[in-house]
Amino acid sequence: MSSVVANGQWVLPESPHALWVRGELDGHLGLPEWLRVEVIGGEFVVTPYPPVVHALILSDLHERLFRAESRDEGFPWQVLQHVGVDLAEVGDGYCPDLALVSAEVDLLENAEDRYLRPDEISLVAEVTAYPGEHNDRRPVSGKPTKWSGYARSGVPYYLLVDRDPRQPGVTLFGEPNKAEAAYRTLGEWKFGEAVRLPEPFDVEIDTGAWRSWSR
């Protein structure tokens, strides 16, 4: 069975973003629990959960950050996976693969119905997965993606782990230009090279195992 990404044109009682924030969008679409729905560029996008290799890279990335935290008692970040981010300014709602949040942010405040805000995120990471990988990358057709949405919302750093077999690698974007909804490229690495996250993170990530995990 092949996987497809569904971009919706349903008649909804409210905007996809408003329904997503209240956790009602899935119900209006009649989606099974194993599908994930996000609002990108004002439209809802439904994708199947990613494959094992995607999870391996994400778990390895999380482990590298956890090791950095273990070495440094003053590690000022909280590492979260698959948490909702409400980009109210652009009318989108994402579920990034990983987010670094300052230790000063109280994650337990209104925890039951709380999504992260872009101004609470220091770095967000996405690992591409077929068939929705284009939604993680820089827009090529003028249609907004999560890359442009994060930039327009002012998320300081965006780490893209791209499993495209033609050119697998890691790119760190930063210095978001909110007016242009664009990032500046700060660093690029091939799988197998050590990724260095600059200050304020000062973390090195070994991607050696990722070479065998590209799609």
Side-chain angles (χ1 to χ4, degrees), residues 11-28:
V11 177
L12 299 172
E14 295 180 74
S15 70
H17 171 255
L19 295 172
W20 183 90
V21 168
R22 296 203 305 270
E24 299 174 2
L25 184 55
D26 300 55
H28 280 283

Side-chain angles (χ1 to χ4, degrees), residues 103-186:
E104 297 178 355
V105 174
D106 184 2
L107 295 175
L108 296 180
E109 181 182 5
N110 302 320
E112 291 187 3
D113 57 358
R114 169 165 160 69
Y115 294 113
L116 286 179
R117 301 189 310 269
D119 63 352
E120 294 176 317
I121 299 173
S122 299
L123 178 145
V124 68
E126 298 281 5
V127 181
T128 63
Y130 179 82
E133 61 264 55
H134 60 283
N135 287 316
D136 296 327
R137 299 177 182 139
R138 187 195 315 261
V140 295
S141 62
K143 188 174 183 180
T145 65
K146 295 168 80 171
W147 183 92
S148 56
Y150 286 131
R152 186 177 170 191
S153 299
V155 174
Y157 293 93
Y158 178 37
L159 187 70
L160 176 64
V161 181
D162 200 329
R163 295 174 45 240
D164 186 336
R166 296 167 296 182
Q167 49 182 11
V170 182
T171 306
L172 178 66
F173 300 99
E175 301 179 15
N177 185 319
K178 296 183 68 172
E180 297 183 4
Y183 280 110
R184 178 173 170 242
T185 300
L186 301 182

Side-chain angles (χ1 to χ4, degrees), residues 6 9 11 18 38 50 53 78 83 89 140 146 178:
Q9 296 292 330
V11 177
E38 299 174 285
V53 291
Q78 304 172 83
V83 63
E89 183 177 355
V140 295
K146 295 168 80 171
K178 296 183 68 172

Side-chain angles (χ1 to χ4, degrees), residues 77-89:
W77 316 105
Q78 304 172 83
V79 186
L80 303 175
Q81 288 192 38
H82 302 302
V83 63
V85 177
D86 180 9
L87 291 82
E89 183 177 355

